[in-house]
Amino acid sequence: MKDCMFDYVIHAAGVTKCLNKEDFRRINTEGTQHLVRALVDLQMPLKRFVYISSLSIMGAIREEQPYTEILESDTPQPNTAYGKSKLEAEQWLDSFNEELKKQGKEFPYTILRPTGVYGPRERDYFMMAKSIQAHTDFAVGFKQQDITFVYVADVVQAVFLAMEKGKTGRRYFLSDGEVYQSSTFSNLIRHELDNPWWIRITAPLWLLRIITFCGEYVGHLTGKVTALNNDKYNIMRQRNWRCDINPARKELGYEPKVKLEEGVHRSIKWYKENKWL
């Protein structure tokens, strides 16, 4: 049997929704630790380990208007169990590499922090398409919300660039380089669905708080993971999702190719062709 050898490892496995908060850490943080330790113990000749983290590790910062881009130098303040587990994994990679350096070794990791990833097979944004198809668009909060997106193909582009040009310990935010309002995504979905009639509902944050609290409670009772949970509340109430992708552009040569209009077109087309819609 031939020895297994890995030049590159892309670690994108993880969970975004769990019934119990402890499971986020067990899977996203401890799972990363187990994988990295196994690679080192087996002395795999790695050229690059690319860890897919998330913009969510930053939390609700720079929320004062006019909103400004979240920077790598900002102090993370994750407000979700998911974001905390991803940040803890990042911090562990730092500390683990420092320990290896004392032994004259190095673990060649690079971290990517994409904003909201969408595209074929994605299920959270797909729920919006299902809702609009059923004639309802639902938004939360009356304060301006600046949101960002990145199409899955551009995340893949960044992964390959990080494999080739990434530097150990560097972090890179990923988006399509544009900033949108919350209604933009809904309008594009509706257009791709041939403009069904709809009712657009904007609910206050306190109502979302009640809905997500009840959703999480019901989830624990039934044992089924629900999208309407406490993490969802914190994500939807966050008003600023701008992020600085200039380091990825300058250091990796990353240049997003798919803007939101084209990405939504491709996504809805895939959902239709595969009978999801």
Side-chain angles (χ1 to χ4, degrees):
M1 185 176 179
K2 294 182 178 181
D3 292 337
C4 292
M5 297 184 67
F6 299 93
D7 286 335
Y8 304 98
V9 171
I10 298 91
H11 180 33
V15 290
T16 59
K17 294 186 286 293
C18 291
L19 277 177
N20 301 303
K21 291 183 179 180
E22 297 77 14
D23 288 338
F24 283 106
R25 188 181 191 282
R26 180 176 59 83
I27 297 170
N28 294 342
T29 307
E30 294 177 7
T32 300
Q33 295 172 359
H34 295 326
L35 174 59
V36 171
R37 285 198 175 104
L39 292 170
V40 172
D41 289 346
L42 293 171
Q43 299 182 0
M44 294 298 183
L46 278 180
K47 292 182 179 178
R48 184 64 48 196
F49 179 90
V50 181
Y51 178 60
I52 308 298
S53 184
S54 171
L55 176 58
S56 292
I57 67 110
M58 301 306 294
I61 63 174
R62 295 181 178 267
E63 294 275 279
E64 299 81 15
Q65 292 180 309
Y67 304 132
T68 56
E69 291 180 335
I70 297 171
L71 306 176
E72 180 187 350
S73 57
D74 288 331
T75 301
Q77 301 175 40
N79 55 2
T80 63
Y82 169 73
K84 291 174 184 176
S85 68
K86 284 290 189 177
L87 177 61
E88 192 173 349
E90 287 191 17
Q91 293 171 334
W92 181 84
L93 284 168
D94 292 337
S95 61
F96 181 73
N97 194 48
E98 287 302 313
E99 289 300 315
L100 286 182
K101 285 181 178 179
K102 295 176 183 178
Q103 305 170 33
K105 304 175 184 178
E106 183 179 77
F107 187 72
Y109 68 101
T110 299
I111 297 171
L112 300 179
R113 296 168 166 173
T115 183
V117 182
Y118 71 104
R121 295 185 178 84
E122 198 282 330
R123 292 183 179 274
D124 286 345
Y125 290 122
F126 166 70
M127 291 176 62
M128 290 181 62
K130 286 286 289 183
S131 177
I132 291 170
Q133 187 183 52
H135 311 296
T136 303
D137 179 40
F138 187 78
V140 176
F142 300 100
K143 186 179 178 182
Q144 177 181 324
Q145 184 180 46
D146 287 359
I147 54 180
T148 51
F149 298 92
V150 60
Y151 188 68
V152 63
D154 280 327
V155 177
V156 174
Q157 176 205 162
V159 167
F160 277 95
L161 289 169
M163 288 163 55
E164 178 186 357
K165 302 178 181 179
K167 297 179 181 179
T168 297
R170 291 293 288 119
R171 279 96 157 135
Y172 302 99
F173 293 121
L174 301 177
S175 77
D176 70 0
E178 303 292 338
V179 178
Y180 305 94
Q181 299 307 302
S182 57
S183 59
T184 309
F185 195 58
S186 298
N187 290 338
L188 290 171
I189 290 174
R190 184 178 181 233
H191 173 73
E192 293 298 328
L193 292 174
D194 301 320
N195 296 307
W197 66 267
W198 66 352
I199 299 173
R200 174 170 276 168
I201 301 171
T202 301
L205 285 171
W206 63 263
L207 179 58
L208 176 66
R209 173 72 280 187
I210 294 173
I211 293 171
T212 53
F213 177 84
C214 293
E216 183 139 326
Y217 179 74
V218 171
H220 283 288
L221 287 179
T222 62
K224 295 181 179 179
V225 178
T226 174
L228 297 174
N229 53 40
N230 291 331
D231 267 14
K232 190 68 172 180
Y233 168 72
N234 286 314
I235 289 171
M236 293 187 72
R237 76 170 179 169
Q238 186 168 326
R239 299 288 97 180
N240 180 29
W241 291 93
R242 292 170 173 259
C243 59
D244 179 19
I245 67 169
N246 283 322
R249 281 177 157 145
K250 293 177 181 177
E251 297 178 27
L252 301 181
Y254 170 73
E255 193 58 48
K257 295 179 172 59
V258 183
K259 301 302 183 183
L260 191 61
E261 183 175 359
E262 174 62 21
V264 170
H265 171 72
R266 294 185 190 182
S267 302
I268 299 299
K269 180 181 178 182
W270 188 93
Y271 291 137
K272 287 179 177 179
E273 290 176 348
N274 289 273
K275 312 301 181 184
W276 286 37
L277 289 172

